[in-house]
């Protein structure tokens, strides 16, 4: 079963941000207003790093000539090592399917709130409609509505949370998720090759990989300088695949060398980020990156996120090939289900959840 918190929680009132927007109020409820140090600095001019997020051409890895493959695999390695993020193009997922899942997601979020609340995200859980990672009544909230579903294995699914409206929603999610699953398997093969490992090492290790989908809707906000769309965090997955809505404003930020770098959407590309699991397996060579989402005063934003991770039964720890005298073991071995439970039962707070796996430095 999917990890959940089984203690009763008092999370207080969680306002639906779309309903707040309908009220046309200019004053932001205090639970959404961030402390000064957490507020986004919204630059008037784009960052010079805006176009620097690496773009990987999957076609060159799949069917390019020897030189194209070599250059692209080096670029993939550098992307995972230096950024923990890249955008992938020529990924072979039909544009029609990308547009269809986006249409389904938007139709769901545009339903009356009473309809969406038939699929509630209960406190301490991460499936359904609402806000995840909220554990107390004084915790700051994100300016975002979420809808999340467990996909694979079937034991993590909650059939009561799969909507019948809009029509074709569930069927579209199934089709889309199968294509994303194929993409994750393909990317992990090339990530393994970029580490000079057997191409199938991750697939064999992960067994029946866990997969979940989450749709995030960020309505316009009268004071985007005071709120966050999604709190800073790294992902507990092995890989995360992000589809940004067509025509989206820039909303995803990556923390790179102490600076928040906005990610400019590339047409029909998917954003890939390395999760904590790959950081642990590579003993820190490939790093999961802290990221966040911001809001916009005049344009709403949609993202569709897939999380791909090992089976809950798998034991995770640095691979022997990633450990030597100059790079000693930095993480302990642990059960992935145990880490998943730890991850989903803590609020999003940078890379704090990864402390769970780190070996404390030896005292001199």
């Amino acid at each position: 079963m999917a990890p959940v918190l089984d203690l009763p929680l008092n999370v207080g009132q969680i306002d639906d941000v779309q309903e707040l927007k309908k009220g046309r109020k200019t004053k932001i409820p205090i639970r959404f207003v961030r402390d000064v140090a957490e507020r986004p600095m919204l630059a008037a001019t784009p960052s010079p790093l805006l176009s620097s997020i690496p773009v990987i051409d999957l076609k060159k890895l799949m069917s390019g000539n020897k030189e194209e493959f070599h250059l692209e695999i080096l670029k993939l390695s550098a992307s995972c090592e230096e950024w923990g993020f890249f955008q992938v193009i020529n990924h072979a997922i039909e544009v029609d399917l990308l547009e269809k899942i986006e249409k389904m997601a938007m139709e769901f979020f545009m339903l009356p709130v009473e309809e969406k609340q038939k699929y509630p995200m209960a406190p301490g859980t991460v499936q359904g409609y609402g806000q995840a990672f909220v554990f107390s009544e004084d915790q700051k909230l994100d300016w975002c509505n979420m809808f999340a579903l467990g996909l694979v294995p079937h034991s993590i699914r909650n059939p009561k949370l799969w909507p019948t409206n809009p029509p074709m929603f569930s069927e579209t999610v199934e089709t889309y998720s199968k294509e994303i699953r194929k993409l994750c398997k393909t990317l992990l093969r090339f990530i393994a090759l970029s580490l000079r490992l057997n191409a199938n090492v991750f697939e064999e290790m992960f067994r029946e990989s866990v997969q979940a989908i989450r749709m995030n809707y960020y309505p316009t906000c009268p004071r985007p300088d005071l709120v966050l769309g999604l709190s800073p965090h790294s992902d507990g997955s092995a890989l995360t695949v992000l589809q940004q809505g067509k025509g989206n404003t820039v909303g995803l930020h990556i923390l790179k060398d102490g600076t928040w770098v906005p990610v400019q959407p590339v047409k029909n590309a998917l954003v890939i980020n390395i999760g904590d699991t790959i950081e642990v397996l590579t003993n820190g060579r490939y790093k999961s990156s802290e990221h966040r989402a911001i809001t916009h005063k005049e344009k709403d934003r949609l993202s569709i996120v897939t999380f791909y991770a090992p089976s809950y039964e798998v034991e995770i720890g640095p691979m022997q090939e990633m450990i030597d005298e100059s790079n000693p073991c930095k993480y302990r071995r642990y059960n992935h289900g145990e880490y998943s439970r730890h991850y989903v039962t803590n609020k999003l707070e940078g890379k704090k959840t990864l402390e769970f796996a780190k070996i404390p430095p030896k005292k001199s």
Side-chain angles (χ1 to χ4, degrees):
M1 291 297 291
V4 294
L5 195 66
D6 46 20
L7 298 173
L9 294 172
N10 180 14
V11 298
Q13 180 178 335
I14 300 178
D15 290 316
D16 185 293
V17 287
Q18 286 175 260
E19 296 305 297
L20 290 176
K21 177 191 169 186
K22 287 178 185 176
R24 298 185 180 277
K25 294 178 181 178
T26 55
K27 186 174 174 61
I28 304 293
I30 193 66
R31 283 197 74 183
F32 292 93
V33 177
R34 295 285 171 154
D35 295 336
V36 173
E38 293 183 304
R39 294 175 189 174
M41 299 289 289
L42 303 179
T45 55
S47 163
L49 287 171
L50 192 62
S51 60
S52 299
I53 307 301
V55 176
I56 302 298
D57 187 340
L58 193 56
K59 190 174 182 181
K60 289 181 180 178
L61 291 173
M62 298 280 288
S63 57
N65 60 40
K66 191 173 181 180
E67 183 181 359
E68 286 175 330
F69 174 86
H70 179 68
L71 291 174
E72 213 64 20
I73 207 84
L74 288 176
K75 193 197 295 186
L76 176 63
S77 179
S79 303
C80 296
E81 202 163 325
E82 297 168 15
W83 286 88
F85 266 85
F86 56 91
Q87 301 202 58
V88 63
I89 58 173
N90 293 323
H91 43 67
I93 299 178
E94 295 290 340
V95 174
D96 285 353
L97 182 56
L98 299 180
E99 291 176 347
K100 191 172 183 181
I101 191 73
E102 185 181 328
K103 179 175 180 286
M104 289 293 113
M106 282 300 293
E107 285 184 8
F108 176 81
F109 283 117
M110 293 305 115
L111 291 171
V113 67
E114 297 80 13
E115 179 70 18
K116 291 180 286 189
Q117 287 176 345
K118 291 178 181 177
Y119 315 101
M121 185 181 291
T125 69
V126 290
Q127 293 195 53
Y129 176 76
Q131 280 215 21
F133 305 103
V134 182
F135 300 100
S136 70
E137 58 185 333
D138 57 357
Q139 185 178 328
K140 292 296 183 183
L141 300 175
D142 293 328
W143 194 266
C144 174
N145 283 339
M146 300 176 176
F147 183 60
L149 295 169
L151 300 168
V152 180
H154 274 254
S155 60
I156 71 169
R157 294 190 178 206
N158 184 342
K160 294 178 181 177
L161 297 178
W162 285 67
T164 54
N165 191 19
M168 300 293 290
F169 181 93
S170 296
E171 184 179 324
T172 304
V173 167
E174 296 279 20
T175 304
Y176 175 80
S177 297
K178 284 176 184 174
E179 292 301 309
I180 295 291
R181 192 171 183 84
K182 286 186 211 169
L183 175 64
C184 288
K185 289 175 183 284
T186 300
L187 289 172
L188 282 170
R189 283 199 292 274
F190 289 117
I191 287 171
L193 291 173
S194 77
L195 292 162
R196 300 176 184 262
L197 299 171
N198 181 294
N200 296 318
V201 65
F202 295 123
E203 186 167 355
E204 290 170 1
M205 183 192 304
F206 289 4
R207 296 189 227 164
E208 186 179 21
S209 298
V210 174
Q211 186 176 345
I213 189 170
R214 190 178 75 217
M215 301 168 181
N216 303 317
Y217 179 68
Y218 307 94
T220 56
C221 179
R223 292 295 306 272
D225 57 315
L226 298 180
V227 308
L228 285 173
L230 193 58
S231 300
H233 64 287
S234 62
D235 293 336
S237 56
L239 288 183
T240 300
V241 181
L242 168 70
Q243 178 180 336
Q244 304 199 73
K246 196 172 182 180
N248 261 8
T249 57
V250 174
L252 173 64
H253 283 188
I254 301 168
L255 189 63
K256 176 85 162 68
D257 301 327
T259 300
W260 286 107
V261 180
V263 177
Q264 179 68 53
V266 172
K267 187 177 180 182
N268 298 329
L270 295 168
V271 179
I272 312 297
N273 68 277
I274 298 298
D276 294 345
T277 299
I278 294 293
E279 176 166 336
V280 170
L281 288 169
T282 63
N283 200 33
R285 178 173 168 184
Y286 288 176
K287 294 178 177 63
S288 60
S289 287
E290 195 172 329
H291 51 286
R292 69 181 186 185
I294 62 166
T295 62
H296 197 275
K297 193 170 185 176
E298 296 172 356
K299 293 183 178 179
D300 59 359
R301 181 172 172 267
L302 174 76
S303 66
I304 299 165
V305 190
T306 299
F307 303 98
Y308 187 86
S311 162
Y312 292 136
E313 283 73 46
V314 170
E315 189 177 76
I316 295 294
M319 294 182 285
Q320 284 302 312
E321 297 90 337
M322 300 290 108
I323 302 169
D324 56 35
E325 286 185 9
S326 60
N327 195 28
C329 187
K330 299 182 179 73
Y331 307 91
R332 67 181 180 88
R333 296 194 69 80
Y334 57 87
N335 169 267
H336 181 66
E338 185 186 351
Y339 181 64
S340 295
R341 180 181 172 82
H342 171 75
Y343 187 92
V344 303
T345 55
N346 282 274
K347 69 177 184 177
L348 299 180
E349 194 172 359
K351 292 188 69 170
K352 191 173 180 180
T353 50
L354 193 55
E355 297 296 323
F356 169 94
K358 289 184 178 177
I359 295 173
K362 292 180 180 178
K363 294 179 181 179
S364 55

